[in-house]
Amino acid sequence: KTVPGRPACSLHQNVAFMKVHKCGSTTTQNIFLRYGFDHDLVVALPRQASPWIGCGSTIRPQHTMKLPQGTKWNIFAHHSTYNRSNFERFMPQDTRFVAILRNPITTIKSAFNYFKLEYFFPGMIERTGLSERPIQTYLKNPTYWDGVFVGPRKCFQDECAKNCMAKDLGLQRDGGNSHVAIKHFIQGIENDLTLVMIIEYFNHSLVMLKRRLCWNLSDIIYDKHQYKARKYDYKSSSSAVVTMNMEANYKRSSAVDHALYDYFNQSLWSQIEREGDDFLAEVRHFQTILVRVWHYCAARIKPGKLRIKATPWNNDFIVNKSFCSRLSKGRWQWDRAIRRKLNRRFYNKPQAQAGEV
């Protein structure tokens, strides 16, 4: 395949996206699910409605939507703890792996807000003063609180406070924060993954994804309302609620996550530099197209179709009501639509199977 203005590249449609908790991964997930649907690919789905596929780091056939024997997934984009052997069973050998990371201090803020983590630390609520918030209590002494953390007893442990990104990417046990162990873990991730995206540079990451997979610009358009994080009063990195001392405490206690983020943030920028001057120009172009699409999709009365003309970075494409509708779909809506499509394709069933969405 030849992308305008770029050297010839090979299209890759076998992709496993590692959905790392609280890293803007839902927005990215929807890009992959939409791509799979639009290109009639086999997308991995859970046996029944769930954001997870499998149990922790294990995926068995009974965890997945039943497909004809020998059928491989092209796209994986649900929650699952990374375990390369899982995907070797269910996906083609040329599958490319992608993940996304976020500044760890921002991630833990989001996790406390979303999961109400104080309820998983016995005594934290009682020891949090009226003028304080639980995240402050945790960050004053994360080493202590990590030792008393009681996670839910289930396959899918969404709730986490220490080295959570690394655990999603396959850190099986906490072997300490030694430099050698961290370096070995990061090297393994770098060897396995085609790209590690960084949410703070989301548009840069998406353009890099487009180039690595030889996709079109229209494939990486996303909905700004999904990307916009929910608000909470200690979200801002400039907030006085989380002090520099607290951040330093967390950097020591979750050293793997911090090293992981620092390494792949630097790696992304090294890749950008190697791409040449036109990379940042393409990012600016992508941002311009995003704004045009968002304005069009937000309009109550749409003035016909929006045509995006071909440029050195994209083919000509049309944005219409259907395109906008697909941008706004959530994971459960895509799961239902993809399940029905696969049922029609493999079983000639117009509706979802019993017990499925």
Side-chain angles (χ1 to χ4, degrees), residues 44 83 187 260 267 305 343:
N83 179 348
Q187 189 62 55
L260 191 70
S267 174
K305 300 176 181 178
N343 275 325

Side-chain angles (χ1 to χ4, degrees), residues 37-202:
F37 183 88
D38 288 348
H39 292 80
D40 296 320
L41 303 178
V42 178
V43 179
L45 293 177
R47 182 61 59 99
Q48 295 185 337
S50 172
W52 280 79
I53 293 180
C55 180
S57 62
T58 301
I59 300 177
R60 296 191 174 93
Q62 61 264 33
H63 296 141
T64 70
M65 178 183 176
K66 187 176 181 180
L67 297 171
Q69 187 173 1
T71 303
K72 299 284 188 178
W73 302 329
N74 302 116
I75 300 290
F76 183 97
H78 282 61
H79 276 302
S80 181
T81 303
Y82 178 66
N83 179 348
R84 184 67 178 249
S85 61
N86 279 328
F87 299 98
E88 290 173 348
R89 291 183 61 191
F90 293 100
M91 300 190 73
Q93 290 184 350
D94 66 349
T95 295
R96 295 199 168 189
F97 294 84
V98 177
I100 189 165
L101 300 176
R102 185 183 190 182
N103 189 320
I105 195 65
T106 311
T107 305
I108 192 62
K109 291 177 184 180
S110 180
F112 260 89
N113 176 71
Y114 186 84
F115 295 118
K116 306 299 180 187
L117 289 183
E118 58 268 27
Y119 292 103
F120 299 93
F121 295 99
M124 179 173 286
I125 295 176
E126 293 78 6
R127 292 176 62 174
T128 300
L130 294 176
S131 61
E132 293 182 316
R133 296 179 179 85
I135 191 172
Q136 292 174 296
T137 304
Y138 172 75
L139 291 175
K140 286 178 180 177
N141 192 355
T143 301
Y144 166 77
W145 290 111
D146 290 337
V148 300
F149 180 79
V150 180
R153 295 183 178 180
K154 59 180 182 179
C155 286
F156 322 122
Q157 190 161 333
D158 301 300
E159 299 80 2
C160 174
K162 179 181 180 180
N163 290 327
C164 306
M165 296 188 297
K167 289 175 182 175
D168 277 345
L169 291 178
L171 187 67
Q172 293 298 310
R173 58 184 182 274
D174 194 350
N177 290 327
S178 74
H179 176 73
V180 173
I182 293 173
K183 184 177 180 180
H184 179 75
F185 177 74
I186 290 175
Q187 189 62 55
I189 297 299
E190 184 174 46
N191 291 341
D192 280 5
L193 272 61
T194 295
L195 176 66
V196 176
M197 302 169 64
I198 300 295
I199 190 59
E200 286 81 4
Y201 304 103
F202 191 52

